[in-house]
Amino acid sequence: FDAGMFTRRLLPTRLRHAAISVSVSTPRETYSVGESVPFEVRMKNALPMPVTVAVDSPVRWTWSVDGHVEASRVDRHDPPDQRTAFDFDRGERKRFRKRWNGSFQVGEREWEHATPGEYTIGAGLNVADPAGRGLYDETTVRLE
């Protein structure tokens, strides 16, 4: 019995999206300019059954700083438009640890340190309008 196939066929997309929560957190709210900022992305399936979310590419989720994917201000190679699945077992929690190096990519091999101020680190599943579908979260850090 394939429970994932069962829920894909019977559970409407909006309910699958509602079952998954995404949260982003950092250990501290304030960092020094040039200091690396660790952050954690957590995802959880609140249902007691497996849930599969269709995502828009093999890259199942993305992170950004102030809306710049992976802190890049230059055009990056986009992953192929190839829908795939992101599977969550019943009640499964996923945790990903990442680090923003406190800089923005401004050229192919060029990075600039962020200036003092507030920055928003966000993460979400790779679907159209992840924030509108409840599959996105963000947190703010301050660089001093």
Side-chain angles (χ1 to χ4, degrees):
F1 175 70
D2 182 353
M5 179 66 77
F6 178 76
T7 58
R8 277 193 296 276
R9 291 180 185 230
L10 294 181
L11 199 60
T13 299
R14 66 180 170 77
L15 291 179
R16 282 184 258 158
H17 289 176
I20 305 301
S21 63
V22 177
S23 66
V24 178
S25 62
T26 56
R28 304 188 325 248
E29 294 178 7
T30 304
Y31 295 83
S32 298
V33 170
E35 181 179 3
S36 199
V37 180
F39 63 96
E40 186 171 87
V41 179
R42 292 180 182 222
M43 300 174 192
K44 180 182 182 230
N45 172 12
L47 293 180
M49 64 183 74
V51 171
T52 297
V53 176
V55 292
D56 294 339
S57 83
V59 176
R60 291 175 170 84
W61 67 277
T62 61
W63 64 273
S64 63
V65 178
D66 283 359
H68 301 287
V69 176
E70 295 185 12
S72 178
R73 292 182 175 158
V74 296
D75 289 334
R76 299 176 59 103
H77 174 65
D78 289 330
D81 289 335
Q82 177 184 350
R83 290 181 65 81
T84 190
F86 198 7
D87 297 319
F88 292 81
D89 203 355
R90 63 185 82 197
E92 181 179 10
R93 296 169 190 261
K94 296 180 187 282
R95 183 172 69 180
F96 305 95
R97 290 185 174 144
K98 292 286 186 178
R99 192 171 280 280
W100 172 42
N101 67 4
S103 299
F104 288 97
Q105 185 176 12
V106 295
E108 190 173 323
R109 290 187 174 91
E110 186 179 353
W111 292 79
E112 286 182 358
H113 285 297
T115 57
E118 288 191 351
Y119 294 90
T120 301
I121 299 173
L125 272 61
N126 198 354
V127 298
D129 189 21
R133 295 171 189 249
L135 299 171
Y136 175 87
D137 189 39
E138 57 189 31
T139 190
T140 302
V141 294
R142 180 165 202 50
L143 299 184
E144 295 181 340

